[in-house]
Amino acid sequence: MKQFRSKHPGRDIWSGIIVALVSIPISMGYAQIAGLPAVYGLYGSLLPILFYALLTTSPQFVVGVDAMPAVMVGSLLTQFGIAAESDAAMELVPLVSILTALWFLVFFLLKAGRIVKYISTPVMGGFISGVGLTIILMQIPKLFGGTAGTGELFPLLGHIAQQCSVFHPLSAVLGFGTFAVILICKKKIPKVPMTVIMMVVGALLQAIFHLDRYGVKMLSAVAPGLPRLVLPGFSYLSVYGKDLIVESLSIAAVVMAQTLLASGSYAMKYGDKLDHNRELLAYGAMNLVSGFTGCCPINGSVSRSGIADSFGCRS
């Protein structure tokens, strides 16, 4: 607990509450992008993060179910022709997490953290921007009552055009309206957690007006209870072994680059000493736990770390 040295623990507690609330819709959405039921986003926000916190040397960086690994895993399922949220997907995705964790163990033994200083910031920024654009295109149909798309640019554009046939006006008003409110408030009142507020507003609107009666799609029922240990589909190694090994290596490399660069930036900002090699061990531990609880690979979250920092988190 030597990392806990904040002079204002109340700010840390408040920041934790805000990040937890923001993580609920974000993690559930990214879990679905990775081909898992939404509840696995919540599972990935519990035990994996705890193991990371016990091992990390970064006092305030936040990890969780995040964009880049989710998109990469979702693309892998599409490549294999495996339907999202199917039994096969729920066996294969955790296997990818475990293979990713094993790559981090290799990185740790090779002390590969030093490689990060050779990664160009523009290259990483371009990659992150590309992933962000892909997610936006995937999710646009949901804003007007359609279903999320998969694939690359042109298939996603084609899917958006196809989903226009099921355009639902009330869903569009709610979806695009929420998006606009969050963006405007982020500029005008950045200290107010509008993501959380709009989530609560949406729940209240459903409770009062029963929006599903008017054709607005609701999130599927989320299973209650804590995550349970699962046995990933190791048999898929005999079928997709080479592809899984290459893809998990790519995911591990991306997580290492983005998370080490971002956490290193916070360490420089506040004068903390970051042990890059110890961080690789922490990344491996959180992804190993993620795999055995049925979740997709875990990554550092720049957005949630930024939220915590803006609310004064220092530990």
Side-chain angles (χ1 to χ4, degrees):
M1 298 298 290
K2 63 180 181 180
Q3 303 282 355
F4 189 86
R5 57 181 182 277
S6 176
K7 296 180 181 179
H8 304 284
R11 294 180 183 176
D12 295 311
I13 294 172
W14 176 240
S15 300
I17 293 172
I18 296 298
V19 170
L21 292 173
V22 169
S23 292
I24 293 173
I26 292 176
S27 299
M28 292 170 75
Y30 286 148
Q32 290 180 310
I33 289 173
L36 296 172
V39 69
Y40 283 90
L42 301 181
Y43 293 167
S45 301
L46 293 174
L47 292 179
I49 293 177
L50 175 61
F51 275 77
Y52 168 79
L54 293 173
L55 292 172
T56 184
T57 58
S58 175
Q60 64 191 98
F61 198 70
V62 180
V63 299
V65 180
D66 204 53
M68 288 196 289
V71 170
M72 295 173 76
V73 171
S75 297
L76 186 67
L77 293 181
T78 302
Q79 175 186 328
F80 292 160
I82 296 175
E85 301 188 26
S86 63
D87 290 340
M90 294 177 66
E91 292 178 353
L92 187 64
V93 174
L95 177 60
V96 176
S97 298
I98 290 175
L99 292 175
T100 301
L102 293 178
W103 278 116
F104 276 119
L105 177 60
V106 173
F107 293 166
F108 170 74
L109 295 175
L110 296 176
K111 298 185 177 181
R114 68 190 77 175
I115 297 175
V116 173
K117 64 182 179 181
Y118 299 107
I119 298 175
S120 167
T121 300
V123 169
M124 180 54 63
F127 182 81
I128 294 172
S129 298
V131 170
L133 180 60
T134 300
I135 292 174
I136 290 171
L137 293 175
M138 291 173 70
Q139 298 298 307
I140 281 177
K142 281 189 172 182
L143 294 176
F144 54 77
T147 59
T150 58
E152 303 298 331
L153 176 62
F154 292 109
L156 288 173
L157 292 175
H159 181 76
I160 292 173
Q162 181 186 31
Q163 289 296 300
C164 287
S165 62
V166 295
F167 185 90
H168 187 259
L170 180 56
S171 296
V173 170
L174 292 169
F176 289 105
T178 300
F179 182 65
V181 169
I182 291 174
L183 285 183
I184 293 171
C185 292
K186 187 175 181 180
K187 293 289 185 181
K188 301 295 184 181
I189 43 176
K191 292 291 185 180
V192 177
M194 285 307 299
T195 305
V196 176
I197 292 174
M198 294 307 295
M199 182 174 64
V200 173
V201 169
L204 290 175
L205 288 175
Q206 166 61 12
I208 296 171
F209 298 107
H210 302 285
L211 299 176
D212 54 325
R213 297 178 183 174
Y214 302 96
V216 177
K217 291 183 178 179
M218 297 290 117
L219 186 68
S220 300
V222 176
L226 295 173
R228 292 174 292 181
L229 294 179
V230 301
L231 186 64
F234 291 105
S235 60
Y236 286 100
L237 285 171
S238 62
V239 183
Y240 306 116
K242 182 179 178 181
D243 291 323
L244 288 172
I245 290 171
V246 171
E247 188 68 13
S248 60
L249 172 60
S250 301
I251 293 172
V254 168
V255 171
M256 177 180 71
Q258 183 192 2
T259 309
L260 278 183
L261 285 171
S263 58
S265 176
Y266 280 100
M268 291 179 62
K269 180 178 179 180
Y270 294 107
D272 298 316
K273 186 177 181 181
L274 195 70
D275 184 338
H276 284 190
N277 212 42
R278 175 75 174 271
E279 291 302 297
L280 296 179
L281 186 61
Y283 305 160
M286 70 184 186
N287 278 290
L288 188 65
V289 175
S290 180
F292 282 110
T293 51
C295 302
C296 60
I298 305 296
N299 187 29
S301 176
V302 176
S303 60
R304 276 166 275 185
S305 297
I307 291 172
D309 186 54
S310 68
F311 281 92
C313 177
R314 293 295 177 268
S315 177

